[in-house]
Amino acid sequence: MKKWHHSDRIIAPSLLAADFGRIKEETTRAIRSGGDWLHLDVMDGHFVDNISFGPAVIQAIHETNDVFLDVHLMISRPDHYLQRFLEAGSDMITVHLEAEHDVAETLKRTREAGCKAGLALNPATPFEHARPFLDQIDMLLVMTVVPGFGGQSFMHEMMAKVEAAAAYRDENGLSYHIEVDGGVDATTAPIAAAAGANVMVAGSSTFKAPDMAEAISVIRGA
Ligand code: DX5
Ligand code: ZN
């Protein structure tokens, strides 16, 4: 794996903004354009008001290249589906704190399977609710939009949560990455980075850019 320290800037293009008729080519385009990870948004039409794709699509991507698969489960029962996402070849599985499951148990099962474990917080969920789990995760995902759709505006008010997460990590000798997801582009990435985020999910601003490589390099340097 190319990068792993929480000080590394990692760009994760979100496949949700890709052309779904050409998923393999779009994945290759993201990798060749300099994407570090591929962010995969799984939506069940219940936890969020949208339906995307499931483990079969992730497995197809896994079989065609070795890019790090950053799987974001926006589903009500991540515990029920976990095994299928593990078997599909996920490198990291991020589950929501707000979903209906035993969060500690899901994180534990994920790590025991040799997969990285992430925990996601909706905009309405305070940082404090994540505290009991912070020594059990590889990444904290701070949503910067209400999840469900690409192309929404970055919520600047989430930066206080990112700052709190970074301060808590550093004060307690922890090492989780901090990922921001939603409305991340050349303008908002430096704001998120200044607050302490190091993993930038970017859908519309990369896949829909006229030049994806240029868009990723701008976000990386911003
Ligand atoms: C939103 C998803 C995001 C989405 C981001 O529910 O979790 O990953 O793809 O899209 P942009 O970057 O277009 O805001
Ligand atoms: Zn996402």
Side-chain angles (χ1 to χ4, degrees):
M1 203 184 314
K2 257 196 315 194
K3 297 179 170 185
W4 192 260
H5 193 263
H6 62 260
S7 63
D8 293 327
R9 177 82 62 96
I10 293 166
I11 315 298
S14 170
L15 193 75
L16 195 65
D19 176 353
F20 278 15
R22 307 167 62 247
I23 284 185
K24 270 192 215 168
E25 294 88 336
E26 288 286 76
T27 301
T28 305
R29 186 162 75 95
I31 298 167
R32 292 212 178 123
S33 300
D36 300 299
W37 297 356
L38 190 65
H39 184 82
L40 298 169
D41 289 302
V42 177
M43 304 178 177
D44 66 354
H46 183 75
F47 184 76
V48 292
D49 187 29
N50 198 2
I51 300 176
S52 58
F53 49 79
V57 169
I58 293 173
Q59 184 159 353
I61 294 168
H62 171 65
E63 282 167 5
T64 53
N65 63 74
D66 61 3
V67 69
F68 185 92
L69 300 180
D70 172 29
V71 175
H72 177 195
L73 297 184
M74 285 161 276
I75 65 178
S76 293
R77 290 293 309 274
D79 53 340
H80 179 75
Y81 291 100
L82 187 68
Q83 189 58 33
R84 284 178 251 186
F85 286 101
L86 289 167
E87 286 169 9
S90 308
D91 293 292
M92 164 119 69
I93 295 179
T94 297
V95 295
H96 271 266
L97 183 59
E98 307 84 3
E100 297 159 32
H101 61 131
D102 178 335
V103 175
E105 180 66 18
T106 306
L107 296 170
K108 181 165 169 267
R109 283 174 56 205
T110 303
R111 282 181 148 185
E112 280 174 359
C115 186
K116 303 283 186 191
L119 183 64
L121 303 181
N122 277 339
T125 305
F127 169 68
E128 287 63 38
H129 291 197
R131 285 242 184 106
F133 310 106
L134 295 173
D135 60 347
Q136 301 151 46
I137 62 172
D138 300 294
M139 185 173 79
L140 184 73
L141 166 50
V142 176
M143 289 304 304
T144 43
V145 296
V146 174
F149 297 89
Q152 305 182 75
S153 303
F154 183 85
M155 297 170 71
H156 289 262
E157 59 273 34
M158 293 302 123
M159 293 306 97
K161 202 186 289 188
V162 171
E163 284 165 7
Y168 185 91
R169 177 189 62 205
D170 299 346
E171 284 158 17
N172 291 278
L174 296 170
S175 60
Y176 50 83
H177 292 267
I178 301 175
E179 179 175 69
V180 283
D181 183 9
V184 176
D185 60 19
T187 307
T188 56
I191 297 167
N198 69 299
V199 185
M200 308 286 159
V201 176
S204 314
S205 67
T206 58
F207 274 104
K208 293 188 163 55
D211 180 341
M212 190 174 193
E214 169 68 14
I216 289 175
S217 99
V218 171
I219 292 171
R220 190 185 301 290

